[in-house]
Every structure is written in C-alpha cells, then in structure tokens.
Amino acid sequence: MNQYIYFILGIVLGISIAVYFYERREEKIEKTIEYNQRIYSTKKLDVTMQTVVERITSSINELKRDLTEEEKNEIIVKCYKEKFLEL
C-alpha cells in the first residue's frame, strides 16, 4: 500500500511541475508581446492595422472565401497609403 501512495504522489508532483512550466512559458510569451507593443507600436500603426483587419474581414465576407496573399497585400498597401498620405 505504501508504494501506491508514493506512486500517486509522484504522478501529482509530475503534473504540477508540468503545469508550472507551462504557465511560466505563457507568462514569458505575454511579457514579450507587451514589450514589443510598447517598443514598436504607435497609435497610427494600431489604427492602420485595425483598418486592414476590418477591410480583410469585410472582403472575406463579401467574397465568401479566403483571400489570397496578393489580395491581402493589396488591401495592406491601400490602407498604408491612405493613412500615411493623411500627414
């Protein structure tokens, strides 16, 4: 009976270690994303990216299919030109 208790405790310990390292990995990823946003992001870039996402989503809904890379690139370039020509 004693060996089964140690076996169960070993399994519980192994699972808890796995969960701990998984959570640490997730926290590290979140910190990296926050750091990159703080360093590289600007209000104008955020607005432009939001516009790109909205236009791609509306195009997908209109066409009822996924867009090709060329179509996505065209939308990105159009939004870029519109936003940065507003200067």
Side-chain angles (χ1 to χ4, degrees):
M1 187 69 181
N2 200 12
Q3 63 192 12
Y4 294 116
I5 292 174
Y6 288 126
F7 179 69
I8 291 171
L9 288 175
I11 290 174
V12 170
L13 179 65
I15 291 172
S16 62
I17 290 172
V19 168
Y20 172 76
F21 282 112
Y22 177 77
E23 290 298 318
R24 291 272 307 201
R25 187 179 131 253
E26 291 294 319
E27 289 175 9
K28 186 183 266 187
I29 291 171
E30 288 175 7
K31 286 181 182 178
T32 303
I33 290 171
E34 289 174 10
Y35 176 76
N36 287 342
Q37 284 178 339
R38 190 174 64 239
I39 297 297
Y40 301 113
S41 183
T42 64
K43 183 68 176 167
K44 193 168 227 176
L45 179 62
D46 292 341
V47 170
T48 305
M49 288 305 298
Q50 183 63 35
T51 305
V52 168
V53 169
E54 290 170 358
R55 288 189 184 177
I56 288 175
T57 303
S58 67
S59 294
I60 288 172
N61 291 335
E62 287 175 9
L63 299 173
K64 295 183 173 123
R65 64 173 175 83
D66 288 341
L67 299 178
T68 63
E69 290 295 317
E70 293 81 24
E71 292 170 329
K72 291 177 189 175
N73 289 337
E74 287 176 19
I75 293 172
I76 292 170
V77 170
K78 284 180 187 176
C79 289
Y80 173 79
K81 286 180 180 178
E82 287 175 7
K83 293 296 177 185
F84 288 99
L85 290 179
E86 292 176 0
L87 294 174

